[in-house]
Amino acid sequence: MKKRVFSGIAPTGDAHIGNYLGAIRQWVKRQDDFDNIFCIVDLHAITVSQDPTILKAKIRELSGLYLAAGIDPKRSIVFVQSQVSAHSELAWILNCFIPVGWMQRMTQFKEKSRKRKEQVSTGLFDYPALMAADILLYDTEVVPVGDDQKQHVELTRDVAQRFNSIYGQTFRIPESLIPEVGARIMGLDDPTTKMSASETAVGHAINLLDSVEVIQGKILRATTDSQRDIVFDGSRPGIYNLLVIYELFTGKSRKDIEAHFDGQGYAALKKELGEVVIEGLRPLQTRYRELTADPTYIDSVLSEGADRARPQAEKTLTLVKERVGLG
Ligand code: AMP
Ligand code: TRP
């Protein structure tokens, strides 16, 4: 029996190389090692305001990107969160077992709410309860995510343990799986902040569907420093981030990369990095165009994925309701 994997990305903004290197590519690499479920978490997307037409398009786009990156619907379940109602239902129940103090400690909420000028919704605060429901519905053992999600997986473990200790063994306790390199790709314009879809500055993120010219331009303008040598030095975040991206797309060792750029300037690094990223994304972009040429294909994958996920989710939800005494 393979271990169950569950992970997801919210269809907000454009998917970027942080999502790819920190999450999607890891899922693809280990697709055969696990029994996988990959979700497009649209209920998480509406925790901040969304345009309905754009949201609907982004759900299809992100699904297409999962598939284009190599997620194989024969080997993995791919589905949209809102198509399986058990996610919302379990999230409500879990809410009633999560002390407010646990939620108040979530650093992602603190950061997101600090940045937002408009109102912050209760949904944004409660986001980790829905994420816990996603994970716990499927007896998940492994949750492959970037390092910003580690705290949410910890909260999931805590609420599962708490529920189990009150009602007896109900939930399996999951663990996060964080890549050693690439768990935190930084913004190109500001390498001290995480690359994020909610950051709107033009030169911030390389999006997975960016054109050749756009990718080159963003990398050429990336913030570096006033030093010269090209080495992996964590105290120089701009150059370090570019080198990590180079490392992940080429698969070369850090020693070889430093030797390769020895005596060269930042312009050479940026030029070559642009080529490496463009080549690295090319197969994904080509496949994406092929897949989306048939407008019905993605919807059929998603509908089949939801049909496969639903009975598993229902089974857990039924057990939980019984334990709590509902219905
Ligand atoms: P999100 O875009 O916040 O829904 O994130 C989806 C997945 O991508 C999660 O597993 C994140 O941890 C991962 N991720 C998002 N941004 C980055 C980043 N800058 N570096 C590495 N992983 C990331
Ligand atoms: N909260 C995650 C993020 O922002 C997305 C997510 C929702 C998720 N549910 C999940 C990730 C379940 C892993 C497992 O990246």
Side-chain angles (χ1 to χ4, degrees):
M1 279 281 279
K2 291 179 183 174
K3 288 186 178 172
R4 165 58 49 84
V5 152
F6 185 100
S7 197
I9 300 181
T12 39
D14 293 319
H16 51 73
I17 59 169
N19 300 134
Y20 180 64
L21 300 172
I24 306 174
R25 200 172 77 148
Q26 309 295 325
W27 309 347
V28 172
K29 271 193 186 155
R30 303 208 52 193
Q31 195 167 203
D32 287 325
D33 300 339
F34 296 114
D35 177 10
N36 312 286
I37 305 184
F38 298 120
C39 190
I40 292 94
V41 292
D42 57 347
L43 294 168
H44 279 99
I46 62 164
T47 55
V48 296
S49 65
Q50 300 292 338
D51 175 290
T53 315
I54 296 177
L55 178 59
K56 220 170 171 80
K58 286 289 167 194
I59 292 168
R60 267 72 199 168
E61 182 181 287
L62 185 58
S63 311
L65 287 170
Y66 281 13
L67 303 178
I71 302 295
D72 173 5
K74 292 201 183 63
R75 287 180 284 161
S76 301
I77 295 179
V78 177
F79 79 105
V80 179
Q81 188 183 31
S82 65
Q83 293 184 7
V84 177
S85 59
H87 290 252
S88 306
E89 292 182 62
L90 182 60
W92 174 257
I93 298 172
L94 293 178
N95 264 326
C96 301
F97 295 88
I98 300 174
V100 175
W102 291 7
M103 288 289 190
Q104 280 165 337
R105 281 201 287 277
M106 295 295 114
T107 54
Q108 189 170 67
F109 174 74
K110 286 191 224 170
E111 277 167 30
K112 283 192 179 179
S113 54
R114 205 182 311 121
K115 271 195 247 158
R116 302 197 80 76
K117 293 183 190 63
E118 69 264 44
Q119 285 178 16
V120 172
S121 72
T122 307
L124 188 67
F125 180 66
D126 196 33
Y127 183 114
L130 180 58
M131 178 161 166
D134 298 341
I135 296 169
L136 297 176
L137 278 174
Y138 300 97
D139 284 333
T140 303
E141 283 181 78
V142 182
V143 186
V145 281
D147 107 325
D148 59 334
Q149 297 303 315
K150 193 168 180 211
Q151 198 184 28
H152 294 160
V153 178
E154 288 298 321
L155 183 138
T156 304
R157 292 166 57 87
D158 291 344
V159 66
Q161 264 151 359
R162 182 159 193 202
F163 192 98
N164 287 350
S165 74
I166 301 172
Y167 295 105
Q169 180 56 39
T170 308
F171 295 123
R172 195 192 283 274
I173 310 299
E175 272 176 41
S176 53
L177 178 66
I178 315 252
E180 275 169 36
V181 180
R184 203 171 177 81
I185 301 296
M186 309 307 277
L188 296 184
D189 58 339
D190 175 5
T192 61
T193 61
K194 191 192 70 154
M195 186 177 285
S196 155
S198 55
E199 206 58 64
T200 48
V202 181
H204 174 76
I206 298 175
N207 299 325
L208 296 180
L209 294 174
D210 275 349
S211 68
V212 167
E213 298 73 29
V214 168
I215 295 174
Q216 270 162 345
K218 285 178 177 174
I219 292 177
L220 287 179
R221 284 193 306 276
T223 301
T224 52
D225 54 43
S226 54
Q227 300 193 43
R228 283 197 60 85
D229 48 335
I230 297 177
V231 287
F232 283 87
D233 173 358
S235 70
R236 291 164 57 197
I239 283 296
Y240 184 77
N241 191 41
L242 296 183
L243 285 171
V244 165
I245 298 170
Y246 187 92
E247 175 187 13
L248 289 166
F249 274 107
T250 59
K252 289 187 184 154
S253 74
R254 294 190 169 191
K255 209 166 116 262
D256 287 351
I257 295 169
E258 289 179 350
H260 176 74
F261 287 110
D262 189 30
Q264 302 203 57
Y266 290 175
L269 167 64
K270 286 179 165 181
K271 182 164 177 293
E272 216 181 298
L273 179 63
E275 287 159 12
V276 159
V277 172
I278 288 161
E279 285 317 310
L281 294 181
R282 197 186 295 283
L284 180 153
Q285 295 192 347
T286 307
R287 186 90 188 97
Y288 180 81
R289 279 192 292 273
E290 287 164 7
L291 286 170
T292 49
D294 174 357
T296 61
Y297 176 67
I298 288 176
D299 277 339
S300 71
V301 168
L302 295 177
S303 145
E304 194 201 308
D307 288 345
R308 285 164 66 197
R310 209 172 281 117
Q312 305 187 42
E314 288 294 338
K315 189 166 161 239
T316 306
L317 183 64
T318 304
L319 175 66
V320 169
K321 284 175 155 175
E322 210 173 276
R323 290 274 149 97
V324 178
L326 294 169

